[in-house]
Amino acid sequence: MNGYKQININTSQPYLVHIGKNILYENILQEECTRFIKKGWDKLIIIADYNLPVKYHRELQDFLKVSLQDKSPNFKIELLSFKITEQQKNRDTKEQLENKLFELNCGKKTLILAIGGGVLLDIVGFVAATYNRGIPVIYIPTTLLAMVDASVGGKTGINTPYGKNLIGVIKQPAAVLIDVNTLESLPAPDYLSAMAEIIKIAVILDEELCNLLSHHKDTILLRDSEFLIKIIYASVQLKKQVIEQDEFENGMRELLNFGHTIGHVVEKLEGYLITHGFAVALGMWIESNLAWQMGCLNKENLNKIQDLLSLYFYNKIKISKIDDLTFNQILLFDKKVKESKVHYVLVKELGKFYSKDNKYSFPIIPQIEQDIVNLFENNPLIFCADQAMDSSYV
Ligand SMILES: NC(=O)c1ccc[n+]([C@@H]2O[C@H](COP(=O)([O-])OP(=O)(O)OC[C@H]3O[C@@H](n4cnc5c(N)ncnc54)[C@H](O)[C@@H]3O)[C@@H](O)[C@H]2O)c1
């Protein structure tokens, strides 16, 4: 199979991440489903993003009907395709999905196949985690961001008016299938958005990956499939190291929040209309500055991190004017608040994080925190009409 790679995730429920080109119609998916059919599962519900080309849902359903019902004629395969955006990643949508499953008479022996970006996987994963006290879900991520991040590690959740991802559970999927072919139809801003999560894991854990991202921007943005498999594989391997050590976020997993403390505030302020990755890119730019102000990161490494972010996001991120008071109010609703203090992941140098006494996130001194809003002023990542030539995506 074309560039096929496999990663074994050894969490409380172990599973395989399959990565390759053109692998959706190979027998991997059938084999993953057959494991459940053999154990008495009687239904597969495909829940897919309506925006996807039909070959990734309706035609896939037809293919699975032929290949799975041939051997197990009583095995039912239904498709629910629906429109889902970040603004709809909420309690109402979760309830609607659950009601659909009840209407389809789904019981404990139902397997879910979730096909879409991080928004769809997060909410469908959460539905699967609580429906009938938990039914298995296989993920087919179709955005680069979901391939490198949201599909692996088991975090599921929804947003509330109080903030992002504030309700959810950690439930590992039964398997993950990453087919880089699905990225062909992904809009350019959504593709670029994913570079933030790849840069994030590289900046905290892997200088070599940072260098690869610095030197191969054009190949990456051209969506070269061989190169894509390489960086997806590298990112998932890094995430695997973290989640296997700390599946339930009692320590090291907090590192994956680098850029997200500020990023989540930006997303909330923008009414979830900004892509997640753009908010995280801005968050990383600001949070690396905080690490420098705290004396944790030297100027040379700060420049390296900000140069890498600028390479992909210079003048790309459109946001409204940040209001000081609202910004600070939202900041305090984040999950990363401990003992009334907002905690930040602090980078030590390119590819290395700061930790002390088994702690991975830290409060910063109040004067520095008060000035965060100023870091949005003249920020090179934020779209400025004067430099409009640089605002094209790919
Ligand atoms: N669970 C986790 O560990 C984790 C990690 C990172 C991010 N997330 C979450 O992921 C979400 C962001 O995910 P995202 O960036 O994938 O956004 P998304 O799911 O909103 O997808 C972006 C857009 O691309 C469309 N789309 C998806 N695949 C497509 C394809 N192949 N072709 C054409 N269009 C396609 C979608 O309809 C959507 O309009 C956020 O809610 C974030 O909180 C979760």
Side-chain angles (χ1 to χ4, degrees), residues 49 51-53 84 86 89 117-120 122 142-143 145-146 149-150 152 155 164-165 182 185-187 190 193 197 239 276:
D49 186 326
N51 274 343
L52 293 173
I84 175 88
E86 185 74 54
K89 189 177 131 179
V119 167
L120 184 134
D122 271 11
T142 61
T143 63
L145 186 138
D149 202 353
V152 179
K155 274 194 183 176
K164 195 171 153 68
N165 294 337
T182 59
S185 53
L186 187 68
D190 295 302
S193 162
E197 296 284 14
K239 188 159 182 186
H276 177 69

Side-chain angles (χ1 to χ4, degrees), residues 1 23-32 63:
M1 271 181 287
I23 59 168
L24 276 196
Y25 287 86
E26 298 288 341
N27 54 8
I28 304 167
L29 185 54
Q30 292 166 54
E31 281 169 13
E32 290 287 359
F63 165 77

